Short mmCIF file of all heavy atoms in Angstrom, two decimals:
data_model
loop_
_atom_site.label_atom_id
_atom_site.label_comp_id
_atom_site.label_asym_id
_atom_site.label_seq_id
_atom_site.Cartn_x
_atom_site.Cartn_y
_atom_site.Cartn_z
N VAL A 327 43.89 81.11 80.40
CA VAL A 327 43.26 80.43 81.48
C VAL A 327 41.76 80.27 81.20
O VAL A 327 41.15 81.25 80.85
CB VAL A 327 43.52 81.07 82.81
CG1 VAL A 327 42.75 80.40 83.88
CG2 VAL A 327 45.01 81.09 83.15
N LEU A 328 41.30 79.07 81.33
CA LEU A 328 39.80 78.82 81.42
C LEU A 328 39.45 78.77 82.83
O LEU A 328 39.82 77.72 83.47
CB LEU A 328 39.47 77.62 80.60
CG LEU A 328 39.77 77.48 79.19
CD1 LEU A 328 39.32 76.14 78.59
CD2 LEU A 328 39.14 78.71 78.32
N LEU A 329 38.78 79.72 83.34
CA LEU A 329 38.38 79.66 84.78
C LEU A 329 36.85 79.39 84.80
O LEU A 329 36.07 80.38 84.60
CB LEU A 329 38.81 80.98 85.54
CG LEU A 329 38.32 81.09 86.96
CD1 LEU A 329 38.96 80.09 87.77
CD2 LEU A 329 38.78 82.50 87.39
N TRP A 330 36.46 78.12 85.18
CA TRP A 330 35.09 77.81 85.41
C TRP A 330 34.70 78.27 86.87
O TRP A 330 35.39 77.91 87.87
CB TRP A 330 34.93 76.24 85.38
CG TRP A 330 35.39 75.70 84.04
CD1 TRP A 330 36.50 75.02 83.77
CD2 TRP A 330 34.64 75.51 82.85
NE1 TRP A 330 36.52 74.68 82.39
CE2 TRP A 330 35.47 74.86 81.92
CE3 TRP A 330 33.25 75.90 82.49
CZ2 TRP A 330 34.90 74.58 80.60
CZ3 TRP A 330 32.85 75.58 81.28
CH2 TRP A 330 33.57 74.95 80.32
N TRP A 331 33.71 79.08 86.91
CA TRP A 331 33.37 79.62 88.17
C TRP A 331 31.82 79.62 88.41
O TRP A 331 31.10 80.06 87.58
CB TRP A 331 33.94 81.27 88.29
CG TRP A 331 33.84 81.67 89.68
CD1 TRP A 331 32.95 82.42 90.25
CD2 TRP A 331 34.79 81.42 90.67
NE1 TRP A 331 33.27 82.72 91.47
CE2 TRP A 331 34.43 82.01 91.89
CE3 TRP A 331 36.04 80.60 90.76
CZ2 TRP A 331 35.10 82.03 92.99
CZ3 TRP A 331 36.70 80.59 91.96
CH2 TRP A 331 36.30 81.24 93.03
N ARG A 332 31.51 79.27 89.67
CA ARG A 332 30.17 79.25 90.08
C ARG A 332 30.06 80.11 91.34
O ARG A 332 30.93 80.34 92.19
CB ARG A 332 29.71 77.91 90.36
CG ARG A 332 29.85 76.96 89.22
CD ARG A 332 30.33 75.52 89.66
NE ARG A 332 30.86 74.85 88.47
CZ ARG A 332 32.15 74.80 88.19
NH1 ARG A 332 33.13 75.41 88.90
NH2 ARG A 332 32.56 74.09 87.16
N GLU A 333 28.91 80.66 91.63
CA GLU A 333 28.64 81.61 92.65
C GLU A 333 29.16 81.05 93.99
O GLU A 333 29.73 81.80 94.85
CB GLU A 333 27.15 81.96 92.84
CG GLU A 333 26.82 82.92 93.97
CD GLU A 333 25.34 83.23 94.07
OE1 GLU A 333 24.57 82.30 93.79
OE2 GLU A 333 24.98 84.30 94.42
N GLU A 334 28.96 79.82 94.26
CA GLU A 334 29.33 79.14 95.56
C GLU A 334 30.81 78.82 95.65
O GLU A 334 31.24 78.29 96.62
CB GLU A 334 28.49 78.01 95.86
CG GLU A 334 28.64 76.82 94.82
CD GLU A 334 27.72 76.91 93.55
OE1 GLU A 334 26.99 77.94 93.39
OE2 GLU A 334 27.86 76.05 92.79
N ASP A 335 31.67 79.18 94.64
CA ASP A 335 33.04 78.73 94.60
C ASP A 335 33.94 79.55 95.53
O ASP A 335 35.13 79.18 95.73
CB ASP A 335 33.55 78.70 93.16
CG ASP A 335 33.04 77.54 92.39
OD1 ASP A 335 32.56 76.63 92.99
OD2 ASP A 335 33.17 77.67 91.12
N GLY A 336 33.46 80.61 96.12
CA GLY A 336 34.37 81.36 97.00
C GLY A 336 34.49 82.87 96.55
O GLY A 336 33.60 83.37 96.03
N ASP A 337 35.71 83.33 96.77
CA ASP A 337 36.01 84.71 96.49
C ASP A 337 36.55 84.84 95.02
O ASP A 337 37.63 84.33 94.72
CB ASP A 337 37.08 85.25 97.49
CG ASP A 337 37.25 86.70 97.34
OD1 ASP A 337 37.60 87.18 96.23
OD2 ASP A 337 37.01 87.53 98.32
N LEU A 338 35.79 85.42 94.16
CA LEU A 338 36.16 85.55 92.73
C LEU A 338 37.41 86.35 92.57
O LEU A 338 38.22 86.04 91.71
CB LEU A 338 34.99 86.09 91.90
CG LEU A 338 35.21 86.24 90.42
CD1 LEU A 338 35.74 84.95 89.81
CD2 LEU A 338 33.95 86.84 89.73
N CYS A 339 37.48 87.47 93.20
CA CYS A 339 38.69 88.32 93.20
C CYS A 339 39.94 87.53 93.42
O CYS A 339 40.98 87.60 92.66
CB CYS A 339 38.55 89.53 94.02
SG CYS A 339 39.90 90.63 93.84
N ASP A 340 40.00 86.70 94.43
CA ASP A 340 41.09 85.86 94.87
C ASP A 340 41.50 84.88 93.65
O ASP A 340 42.61 84.72 93.34
CB ASP A 340 40.97 85.17 96.23
CG ASP A 340 41.04 85.95 97.34
OD1 ASP A 340 41.43 87.21 97.31
OD2 ASP A 340 40.55 85.53 98.46
N ALA A 341 40.36 84.15 93.18
CA ALA A 341 40.60 83.34 92.17
C ALA A 341 41.22 84.01 90.84
O ALA A 341 42.01 83.50 90.15
CB ALA A 341 39.26 82.64 91.73
N LEU A 342 40.74 85.20 90.54
CA LEU A 342 41.24 85.97 89.42
C LEU A 342 42.69 86.36 89.72
O LEU A 342 43.54 86.25 88.66
CB LEU A 342 40.41 87.22 89.11
CG LEU A 342 38.97 86.85 88.57
CD1 LEU A 342 38.18 88.25 88.45
CD2 LEU A 342 39.00 86.14 87.29
N MET A 343 42.95 86.70 90.88
CA MET A 343 44.51 87.16 91.16
C MET A 343 45.35 85.84 90.98
O MET A 343 46.46 85.96 90.51
CB MET A 343 44.55 87.66 92.61
CG MET A 343 43.90 88.98 92.76
SD MET A 343 44.59 90.22 91.76
CE MET A 343 46.20 90.47 92.57
N ASP A 344 44.84 84.68 91.51
CA ASP A 344 45.64 83.44 91.34
C ASP A 344 45.78 83.05 89.77
O ASP A 344 46.89 82.72 89.38
CB ASP A 344 45.01 82.25 91.98
CG ASP A 344 45.05 82.42 93.55
OD1 ASP A 344 45.84 83.26 94.01
OD2 ASP A 344 44.26 81.64 94.23
N ALA A 345 44.73 83.20 89.08
CA ALA A 345 44.80 82.98 87.54
C ALA A 345 45.71 83.93 86.87
O ALA A 345 46.40 83.54 86.03
CB ALA A 345 43.40 83.01 87.00
N ARG A 346 45.67 85.15 87.31
CA ARG A 346 46.51 86.23 86.68
C ARG A 346 47.98 85.90 86.95
O ARG A 346 48.79 86.16 86.01
CB ARG A 346 46.17 87.49 87.32
CG ARG A 346 46.84 88.70 86.79
CD ARG A 346 46.58 89.99 87.44
NE ARG A 346 47.56 90.98 86.94
CZ ARG A 346 47.34 92.27 86.89
NH1 ARG A 346 46.27 92.74 87.20
NH2 ARG A 346 48.34 93.02 86.47
N ALA A 347 48.34 85.40 88.09
CA ALA A 347 49.76 85.18 88.43
C ALA A 347 50.47 84.17 87.47
O ALA A 347 51.59 84.15 87.34
CB ALA A 347 49.79 84.68 89.88
N CYS A 348 49.58 83.26 86.85
CA CYS A 348 50.21 82.19 85.99
C CYS A 348 50.24 82.59 84.52
O CYS A 348 50.62 81.74 83.73
CB CYS A 348 49.55 80.90 86.18
SG CYS A 348 47.78 80.87 85.56
N LEU A 349 49.78 83.92 84.14
CA LEU A 349 49.77 84.25 82.76
C LEU A 349 51.10 84.75 82.18
O LEU A 349 51.80 85.46 82.96
CB LEU A 349 48.80 85.36 82.54
CG LEU A 349 47.27 84.86 82.72
CD1 LEU A 349 46.35 86.10 82.62
CD2 LEU A 349 46.92 83.88 81.59
N SER A 350 51.29 84.55 80.98
CA SER A 350 52.35 85.19 80.23
C SER A 350 52.02 86.69 80.10
O SER A 350 50.81 87.11 80.30
CB SER A 350 52.54 84.62 78.83
OG SER A 350 51.46 84.70 78.00
N GLY A 351 52.92 87.61 79.67
CA GLY A 351 52.70 88.99 79.57
C GLY A 351 51.55 89.41 78.66
O GLY A 351 50.88 90.42 78.92
N ASP A 352 51.22 88.59 77.66
CA ASP A 352 50.06 88.98 76.92
C ASP A 352 48.97 87.92 76.93
O ASP A 352 48.06 87.85 76.12
CB ASP A 352 50.55 89.13 75.38
CG ASP A 352 51.11 87.86 74.76
OD1 ASP A 352 51.34 86.89 75.65
OD2 ASP A 352 51.35 87.75 73.63
N GLY A 353 48.89 87.32 78.06
CA GLY A 353 47.99 86.24 78.33
C GLY A 353 46.56 86.87 78.75
O GLY A 353 46.39 88.00 78.95
N PHE A 354 45.58 86.01 78.73
CA PHE A 354 44.20 86.35 79.18
C PHE A 354 43.54 85.32 79.82
O PHE A 354 43.82 84.12 79.80
CB PHE A 354 43.43 86.90 77.91
CG PHE A 354 43.42 85.84 76.80
CD1 PHE A 354 42.41 84.97 76.75
CD2 PHE A 354 44.41 85.90 75.73
CE1 PHE A 354 42.35 83.98 75.68
CE2 PHE A 354 44.39 84.95 74.73
CZ PHE A 354 43.41 84.01 74.68
N ILE A 355 42.43 85.68 80.56
CA ILE A 355 41.54 84.77 81.27
C ILE A 355 40.14 84.80 80.64
O ILE A 355 39.62 85.79 80.32
CB ILE A 355 41.46 85.21 82.83
CG1 ILE A 355 42.89 85.15 83.44
CG2 ILE A 355 40.40 84.29 83.44
CD1 ILE A 355 42.80 85.90 84.76
N TRP A 356 39.61 83.59 80.51
CA TRP A 356 38.20 83.42 80.14
C TRP A 356 37.50 82.94 81.43
O TRP A 356 37.74 81.92 81.87
CB TRP A 356 37.98 82.33 78.99
CG TRP A 356 38.03 83.09 77.64
CD1 TRP A 356 39.07 83.09 76.82
CD2 TRP A 356 37.00 83.85 77.07
NE1 TRP A 356 38.82 83.84 75.71
CE2 TRP A 356 37.46 84.31 75.87
CE3 TRP A 356 35.77 84.25 77.41
CZ2 TRP A 356 36.63 85.09 75.02
CZ3 TRP A 356 34.97 85.05 76.62
CH2 TRP A 356 35.48 85.50 75.38
N LEU A 357 36.70 83.88 81.94
CA LEU A 357 35.86 83.55 83.08
C LEU A 357 34.62 82.89 82.66
O LEU A 357 33.78 83.55 81.99
CB LEU A 357 35.70 84.83 83.90
CG LEU A 357 34.72 84.69 85.16
CD1 LEU A 357 35.35 83.63 86.13
CD2 LEU A 357 34.38 86.02 85.75
N LEU A 358 34.43 81.67 82.93
CA LEU A 358 33.30 80.94 82.41
C LEU A 358 32.24 80.72 83.57
O LEU A 358 32.71 80.05 84.60
CB LEU A 358 33.72 79.53 81.86
CG LEU A 358 34.86 79.71 80.81
CD1 LEU A 358 35.39 78.26 80.55
CD2 LEU A 358 34.31 80.33 79.50
N THR A 359 31.18 81.28 83.37
CA THR A 359 30.09 81.17 84.43
C THR A 359 28.77 80.59 83.98
O THR A 359 28.46 80.87 82.77
CB THR A 359 29.85 82.63 85.08
OG1 THR A 359 29.45 83.50 83.98
CG2 THR A 359 31.13 83.14 85.78
N PRO A 360 27.99 79.98 84.80
CA PRO A 360 26.65 79.49 84.38
C PRO A 360 25.80 80.73 83.87
O PRO A 360 25.86 81.78 84.48
CB PRO A 360 26.09 78.83 85.63
CG PRO A 360 27.39 78.55 86.58
CD PRO A 360 28.31 79.65 86.19
N LYS A 361 25.02 80.51 82.92
CA LYS A 361 24.06 81.43 82.36
C LYS A 361 23.02 81.77 83.50
O LYS A 361 22.70 81.06 84.38
CB LYS A 361 23.44 81.11 81.17
CG LYS A 361 24.33 80.99 79.96
CD LYS A 361 23.64 80.66 78.68
CE LYS A 361 24.54 80.76 77.45
NZ LYS A 361 23.92 80.28 76.21
N THR A 362 22.36 82.91 83.29
CA THR A 362 21.29 83.42 84.17
C THR A 362 20.26 82.33 84.23
O THR A 362 19.96 81.65 83.14
CB THR A 362 20.58 84.60 83.58
OG1 THR A 362 21.58 85.63 83.44
CG2 THR A 362 19.50 85.11 84.40
N GLY A 363 19.68 81.99 85.42
CA GLY A 363 18.77 80.93 85.53
C GLY A 363 19.31 79.55 85.80
O GLY A 363 18.68 78.69 86.22
#
Side-chain angles (χ1 to χ4, degrees):
V327 171
L328 299 181
L329 176 58
W330 301 94
W331 194 260
R332 299 139 199 98
E333 181 181 35
E334 63 275 1
D335 285 345
D337 187 302
L338 179 55
C339 183
D340 286 347
L342 292 174
M343 292 297 290
D344 290 345
R346 180 185 170 152
C348 69
L349 286 175
S350 64
D352 58 351
F354 53 89
I355 299 167
W356 270 100
L357 177 61
L358 306 169
T359 57
K361 288 184 175 178
T362 303

